[in-house]
Amino acid sequence: METAPELARLFPPVVRAWLAARGCEEARWVPAGERPPAPEGCAVFDFPLDLPGSPLRWLVLRLRFAPGTGLSPDDRARLGTYLGGLAPFLVGWSPATRDPWVTLSRETLLVVEHQVRNFLNSLLMNAAVLSLHAGHEGPDPVLEQIESDGQRCLDVVRQLLHPPG
């Protein structure tokens, strides 16, 4: 599949793998008014995006599939819904200035969450070790604050990656 930055932003690894499993060989932007015919024996699916304020408004996302493969009607609907959900993030910004986080895969977010948890747990363990060496009788308010702040960081990460509902 084409690896243009714009398409890499639209399709995180999990979506690219999903498309590849269905035989997708190429994804590219084509002019909406002059769509070339499909190559002999290949299936193409065009996805126009409703982006009135974007430079992409004149383009259609075309997916080309190997002979004998393609998207089922349900798969086309799923992909259309996915692309439709991206529209608010794509309108008004040029591809060069658009943030790539828009389509980070869930797997990537889970890895980041795991790393943040590891770093925070390490921070909290080091704070506990410091409290043992501080020689204070009873709890140390500074170290308790570190533990409280660390727990709040974990809670915020959890809210971002696993919103309620």
Side-chain angles (χ1 to χ4, degrees):
M1 191 183 310
E2 186 177 317
T3 57
E6 185 61 28
L7 295 174
R9 288 183 178 133
L10 280 176
F11 297 128
V14 68
V15 177
R16 289 194 303 263
W18 182 83
L19 286 167
R22 285 154 180 77
C24 186
E25 294 182 327
E26 182 184 44
R28 64 186 175 107
W29 296 108
V30 297
E34 356 174 320
R35 294 183 219 177
E40 187 70 29
C42 293
V44 296
F45 298 98
D46 291 340
F47 291 89
L49 299 178
D50 186 15
L51 306 170
S54 170
L56 300 175
R57 69 185 174 276
W58 307 113
L59 300 175
V60 170
L61 180 65
R62 171 166 283 186
L63 304 179
R64 184 175 56 79
F65 290 80
T69 64
L71 294 175
S72 71
D74 286 344
D75 288 341
R76 284 194 302 271
R78 280 186 197 98
L79 189 58
T81 299
Y82 171 80
L83 292 169
L86 294 179
F89 299 102
L90 298 174
V91 171
W93 294 293
S94 70
T97 61
R98 197 165 308 126
D99 288 330
W101 65 265
V102 170
T103 56
L104 282 178
S105 70
R106 179 169 172 73
E107 289 79 11
T108 300
L109 291 174
L110 291 174
V111 167
V112 169
E113 177 188 25
H114 180 75
Q115 289 172 336
V116 169
R117 284 175 186 248
N118 283 345
F119 293 138
L120 285 172
N121 285 333
S122 177
L123 173 74
L124 296 176
M125 287 189 301
N126 287 326
V129 169
L130 282 174
S131 71
L132 293 174
H133 295 292
H136 290 107
E137 293 296 323
D140 183 323
V142 172
L143 297 174
E144 284 183 344
Q145 184 63 45
I146 291 173
E147 185 176 352
S148 173
D149 291 343
Q151 186 57 52
R152 277 189 254 158
C153 288
L154 281 174
D155 293 342
V156 168
V157 168
R158 221 176 269 122
Q159 281 180 332
L160 287 173
L161 301 178
H162 309 286

